[in-house]
Amino acid sequence: MSRVDGRDNNELRKIEIIPHYITHPEGSVLITVGETKVICTATVEDRVPPFMRGQGKGWITAEYSMLPRATEKRTMRESTKGKVSGRTMEIQRLIGRALRSVVDLEKLGEKTIWIDCDVIQADGGTRTASITGAFVAMVLAFQKLVEAKKIKALPIIDYLAATSVGIDAQVGPILDLNYIEDSKAQVDMNVVMTGSLDFVELQGTGEEATFSRKQLNELLDLAEEGMLQLVECQKQALGTIAENIGISKEEVNRL
Amino acid sequence: MSRVDGRDNNELRKIEIIPHYITHPEGSVLITVGETKVICTATVEDRVPPFMRGQGKGWITAEYSMLPRATEKRTMRESTKGKVSGRTMEIQRLIGRALRSVVDLEKLGEKTIWIDCDVIQADGGTRTASITGAFVAMVLAFQKLVEAKKIKALPIIDYLAATSVGIDAQVGPILDLNYIEDSKAQVDMNVVMTGSLDFVELQGTGEEATFSRKQLNELLDLAEEGMLQLVECQKQALGTIAENIGISKEEVNRL
Amino acid sequence: MSRVDGRDNNELRKIEIIPHYITHPEGSVLITVGETKVICTATVEDRVPPFMRGQGKGWITAEYSMLPRATEKRTMRESTKGKVSGRTMEIQRLIGRALRSVVDLEKLGEKTIWIDCDVIQADGGTRTASITGAFVAMVLAFQKLVEAKKIKALPIIDYLAATSVGIDAQVGPILDLNYIEDSKAQVDMNVVMTGSLDFVELQGTGEEATFSRKQLNELLDLAEEGMLQLVECQKQALGTIAENIGISKEEVNRL
Amino acid sequence: MSRVDGRDNNELRKIEIIPHYITHPEGSVLITVGETKVICTATVEDRVPPFMRGQGKGWITAEYSMLPRATEKRTMRESTKGKVSGRTMEIQRLIGRALRSVVDLEKLGEKTIWIDCDVIQADGGTRTASITGAFVAMVLAFQKLVEAKKIKALPIIDYLAATSVGIDAQVGPILDLNYIEDSKAQVDMNVVMTGSLDFVELQGTGEEATFSRKQLNELLDLAEEGMLQLVECQKQALGTIAENIGISKEEVNRL
Amino acid sequence: MSRVDGRDNNELRKIEIIPHYITHPEGSVLITVGETKVICTATVEDRVPPFMRGQGKGWITAEYSMLPRATEKRTMRESTKGKVSGRTMEIQRLIGRALRSVVDLEKLGEKTIWIDCDVIQADGGTRTASITGAFVAMVLAFQKLVEAKKIKALPIIDYLAATSVGIDAQVGPILDLNYIEDSKAQVDMNVVMTGSLDFVELQGTGEEATFSRKQLNELLDLAEEGMLQLVECQKQALGTIAENIGISKEEVNRL
Amino acid sequence: MSRVDGRDNNELRKIEIIPHYITHPEGSVLITVGETKVICTATVEDRVPPFMRGQGKGWITAEYSMLPRATEKRTMRESTKGKVSGRTMEIQRLIGRALRSVVDLEKLGEKTIWIDCDVIQADGGTRTASITGAFVAMVLAFQKLVEAKKIKALPIIDYLAATSVGIDAQVGPILDLNYIEDSKAQVDMNVVMTGSLDFVELQGTGEEATFSRKQLNELLDLAEEGMLQLVECQKQALGTIAENIGISKEEVNRL
């Protein structure tokens, strides 16, 4: 039995990353993963939140939202409800944490990078598309800081991208689940990795199901395959800027 | 002295309306007015709010929001603040009220049309662009209802569009203000009109300034000029659907 | 056919403005317009909000509320609901904006005037009565500042008052609508003008109806008639203080 | 040493109760106690809250608020803060509880009486003035129900009024404290009593002070003196309606 | 007829106060009164709230909460509801006010003591148990300050404890009501007293009932009996620390 | 180099699970893991949330909170802030999801199990202790349902427990991190597993660090060791009830 959209088990959906999609932000992209579309922007603020002050280090924080009709049925706005849902908070914290793991915050200095990921169309994998797109938007913003001579070099230790893997009862382990696949998967795992295939976040969940260590290993193999292609897309979107990424943490410190 | 972007005083910015921009909603457009870009969607719900029940009439309600980096400086999300600002509420009420004025709510029957206007890039005139785009998204949603035989004909009495006019201390009365013009205008007026050039809403404000009745008349002349062009753009976006619009209220009632 | 309360189409309801109605505030009035009663107070604060600091200019801001039983049916308190309605915010913004248009904010200096309009009985026209009454309360507060030698002269450029006009299907264009008239009017327009009959705000709305430019002109004629009488009432309430109002902006600057 | 306003220790401030002060509510008064002024209204709703349904009994609930400039310094609106303060809640609960104690809720039937007490000018004793005024407003609303033949007789068991007593370090035990007296009192006690001088509520507080049982007795003697005068004022405000009050609970049940 | 749990009318439930119950706080106890269990902690903060600054005096504030299943039926969390109930606020204000009455705030200096009372099991009398336990937790925290030489002596003027008394229709006046007794009591009174049997707070309420001055006196007699036993329990929990309490206010000032 | 508290890298802290700790709930425990103490309760409600109705299945939902002084420094209450933090929501969702994975929701029938985890003392690992304790509380509640003949058998598919593993820069991979270890760990992973050592949740995070696949495997080996001991503790706490757990899903369906 094959996947609902005919893809191979280890096949990503079509990815497109359009840089400089919005005029005002320091960095911005529109990332498209199959039918999922997310506008990711990066804003530079010249100070850090109170709990970080005086340490000489930067901070990266993220906000995530969906337009009401990004989804099949209209979703009530969180501004109208007057509160941000648990799901949204979980995703925001994940995006911020993931991005911080590949940035040399000391080299960044006392600045905050605000990442905004706004889903304008949703078909599964919105949080992983957000991370993959936000990484590019953030690098574009860093590049502006370099050009404005506010930092010496891109404070980036490695590439960062994310995808989902899961287990479908009929099809088995699959890569990059769309909404329908995600809804019926027994196990759903979001994997955030660096360009060197190290883990940054691993969030595997069996909803009313469990998974064995052997299955875990099959899923991680698929995730690695997907990661290599996602980083390739990021490189194409970044063009010549990409040449300055991927240097080791030690090298960045020496700049 | 001429306008900041070289336009004639009675010249609109470049308008583009892309229909069916988002997959899931019953109707959707991306409207671009100069650098202002708004995603407008129309959602059909098969019931009306409690205060309208049992009257056999439909309802149209609107929500409006801006992405944090639609603006020059990042704006805090209203979901994060936990409340919707006064400005947002004023705009939402305006959009809903304006659209209701050209719809035969009895012909629509007990349905709610949810209009969502999400500004992804802002350069002045976001509320008027929202109304102009939302009208098209709403007609597309009505067309789906007609095709699904849920209503007999488009319950539309006339076209509806909106633009701004204002008075610049140096340049005089001008049409379709961009953000810079809006910031320094002495008088700012939003005009919502039908295709027959009747008024639906007229909101003129002198912030720390006033305006005479003569000036009011000059501004209204400009608004009429702009309206005719906006309706032309709406017709192009609607294509063949446009042929079914513009019939009189009496004709709609007879269908 | 005549109006529900027998008035002529161009006749205001009975107006009464009682100055110094409440003990504590720097300025206060009880304004009665027919059955509508509003307590308007003006409070002086010796600083401006953050966005105005260091500019040497003053600020005027307004809050508006209705007692729960000001209305025919009890209205739930906004404090109990935990949020201020869109309607309230719209009115508050309108009152503040209108008052600022006739005050020389530089002459006022870095002070905030808090205007509070609390409707204790409502019968239509609460927002226009609020503006007309708040102007007097504000002038009384300014007079206290003059007497305390905190400002040299009343920083008032002109009188300011407001009324409503509308179109009734049977009666035609009418001035100063009460609640019943307002509920069934096809067109409702709030007009805020100066003593010199210049416009400050013009908000015309056709709810499920539209209006022509000819009708607009008839409505504005009525509004001008009403304005002259309202300013006369304000003068009587102010007594001798009224003699210091109405000087031109240039004269104020020279003081 | 004598009181700040020259009153005797056992002297109430001047009381005035104006019935039918507001047009719309079923019952309303303006109560003035010295410089304290409160608008009290009573609204009849033909149902009870969910936790009371099906018991055949009525309910009485109260809301209390102060206009921002009722006080010496402007107080921020609770609607603007988005939440009701602890003080307000305490007072609301007190007013409702007190009124319920003299009403035969079974005779009232499944109705809710909403009491609104809005302080338009405050000089101490706002909660006790609210109770004293609300009792009259409630009786007026009950009288309307009797006249509309919705209830057979006033479901009132006894009069209800409230006052404050306290201990001033210099002056000793005093009755009906104004704001200045209240601010410096060592002990402050609110007493709610029936016309028969039974207690309904007794709330005595020593803020950074304590009081002995002997002092308690002196305070209660003063409270009883005040109560008799307050009930007299209520009788005058009620006029001929007063003749139907004060019958015993047993008599009400027999009606 | 006797009480539901067989106690004499003047008999307290079994009391236990375990000091140092929680590791982190400066002072903490678990107080058990019958089936009611409350964790009371005292936290020392080296500053006072804004309204107290610069007066050289300390402040004591309290928060109170119940675990959802402290009660017979699960109670919704106030954090989930997004607001603190009126009942909670009333209790919090009571606890703070009561504790402040026996502390020499000047001797404490500019420090805030945060009292947290968390009910883990509820069977009536949670607010009085909270006060009785919080007093001990607060003294333990003061003792730490003495040992750290941050204050010279315990700034405590007297013991403080609280209990409830009430009138049961069948049983008559009773001491220390449990939940069942509280639910059916005609009159419920919380009494907070010092070790010298002076009153700090007296809150008597007749819910749909009233009480005479004679009944008041019977209730106060019972309360005094209970108080003496409660203070005895506090002394045992404090051990040798207890020797430094109970000195007069004058003596504290002389230290 | 060894761990701060001298434990071996693969050594759990001391565990204690006291069943029936609170009187009112259907199930309750106090779980102690080192210095971390959590009260876990399970409440049975005879209906499911709206989105689950009519499916014949049960639901399990969890709430998590910390007393303000569970922590080293006092934490502000979420009820006082008026909103639940992102961290709390993440933990609540995790606990609910984890418990649902080992319950046969169809056998449970249309009931909701409310799990409350209230941390009274915190020293790291509060979410994993909550899951381990909540499982026991839930089984105790199920046992009550069995005894009341509301369900035929415990609808439990397997044991469920949780622990944390992490990488310390000096000490290497470690099991069951306390607060100090958690604060300085490069990688922190929460593992929720069944008694059969299948995964339910796997949440690994590198905060400003990453981890390799080899390291992941070392961590998972440690987690398995810990799990076996935790399940042993659960069995002891459950006593004879434990005999009815661990049957396969297929067997439960056959009951």
Side-chain angles (χ1 to χ4, degrees), chain A residues 120-186:
Chain A
I120 63 176
Q121 195 167 282
D123 184 30
T126 62
R127 81 185 69 186
T128 51
S130 293
I131 290 171
T132 306
F135 175 79
V136 178
M138 183 180 73
V139 173
L140 293 174
F142 284 156
Q143 178 64 16
K144 274 218 174 152
L145 288 174
V146 170
E147 286 165 9
K149 300 200 188 299
K150 294 193 175 166
I151 51 175
K152 290 191 192 156
L154 296 180
I156 296 280
I157 297 155
D158 201 344
Y159 279 85
L160 180 88
T163 192
S164 69
V165 287
I167 300 175
D168 180 273
Q170 275 78 44
V171 185
I174 48 179
L175 173 65
D176 187 22
L177 287 66
N178 66 22
Y179 181 70
I180 292 175
E181 290 175 330
D182 188 69
S183 311
K184 59 197 196 67
Q186 293 179 315

Side-chain angles (χ1 to χ4, degrees), chain A residues 78 83-93, chain F residues 85-86 89-90 93:
Chain A
E78 297 189 328
K83 63 175 180 180
V84 172
S85 73
R87 178 186 174 274
T88 294
M89 287 201 196
E90 235 177 278
I91 295 176
Q92 299 188 151
R93 288 160 55 90
Chain F
S85 73
M89 287 201 196
E90 237 177 277
R93 288 158 54 89

Side-chain angles (χ1 to χ4, degrees), chain B residues 86 89-90 93 97 100 199-208 210-211 213 216-217 220-221 224, chain C residues 57 86 89-90 93 97 100 199-207 210-211 213 216-217 220-221 224:
Chain B
M89 287 201 196
E90 235 178 279
R93 287 159 55 91
R97 211 161 55 213
R100 289 195 297 273
F199 294 108
V200 170
E201 285 273 343
L202 192 59
Q203 296 193 334
T205 297
E207 174 74 40
E208 301 174 29
T210 61
F211 57 105
R213 194 143 164 195
L216 172 63
N217 277 308
L220 297 179
D221 290 343
E224 290 184 357
Chain C
K57 295 173 61 180
M89 287 201 196
E90 235 177 280
R93 288 158 55 90
R97 211 160 54 211
R100 288 194 299 271
F199 294 107
V200 169
E201 285 273 343
L202 191 61
Q203 297 192 335
T205 298
E207 174 75 40
T210 61
F211 56 106
R213 196 145 162 192
L216 171 64
N217 278 308
L220 296 179
D221 290 343
E224 290 183 357

Side-chain angles (χ1 to χ4, degrees), chain D residues 40-51:
Chain D
C40 306
T41 67
T43 298
V44 179
E45 189 187 21
D46 269 330
R47 55 172 186 170
V48 287
F51 69 91

Side-chain angles (χ1 to χ4, degrees), chain E residues 69 74, chain F residues 24-29 39-45 60-61 99 112-117 133-142 144:
Chain E
R69 275 319 291 278
R74 187 177 184 275
Chain F
H24 300 307
E26 285 74 26
S28 74
V29 307
I39 298 175
C40 306
T41 67
T43 298
V44 179
E45 190 186 20
I60 300 166
T61 190
L99 291 172
T112 299
I113 307 301
W114 290 83
I115 299 297
D116 286 289
C117 298
F135 175 80
V136 178
M138 182 179 73
V139 173
L140 294 174
F142 284 155
K144 273 218 174 151

Side-chain angles (χ1 to χ4, degrees), chain D residues 86 89-90 93 97 100 199-207 210-213 216-217 220-221 224, chain E residues 86 89-90 93 97 100 198-207 210-211 213 216-217 220-221 224:
Chain D
M89 287 200 197
E90 234 177 280
R93 288 157 55 91
R97 211 160 53 210
R100 288 195 298 273
F199 295 107
V200 170
E201 285 274 341
L202 191 61
Q203 297 192 334
T205 296
E207 173 76 41
T210 60
F211 56 106
S212 68
R213 196 145 164 191
L216 171 64
N217 277 309
L220 296 179
D221 289 343
E224 288 184 0
Chain E
M89 288 201 197
E90 238 178 277
R93 288 157 54 89
R97 212 161 53 214
R100 288 195 298 273
D198 277 340
F199 295 108
V200 170
E201 287 272 341
L202 191 60
Q203 297 192 334
T205 297
E207 176 74 40
T210 61
F211 56 106
R213 197 144 162 192
L216 172 64
N217 277 308
L220 297 179
D221 290 343
E224 290 183 358

Side-chain angles (χ1 to χ4, degrees), chain D residues 208, chain E residues 48-60 105 110:
Chain D
E208 302 174 28
Chain E
V48 287
F51 70 92
M52 289 292 292
R53 284 184 197 148
Q55 302 178 35
K57 294 173 60 181
W59 187 245
I60 300 166
L105 295 171
E110 293 218 350

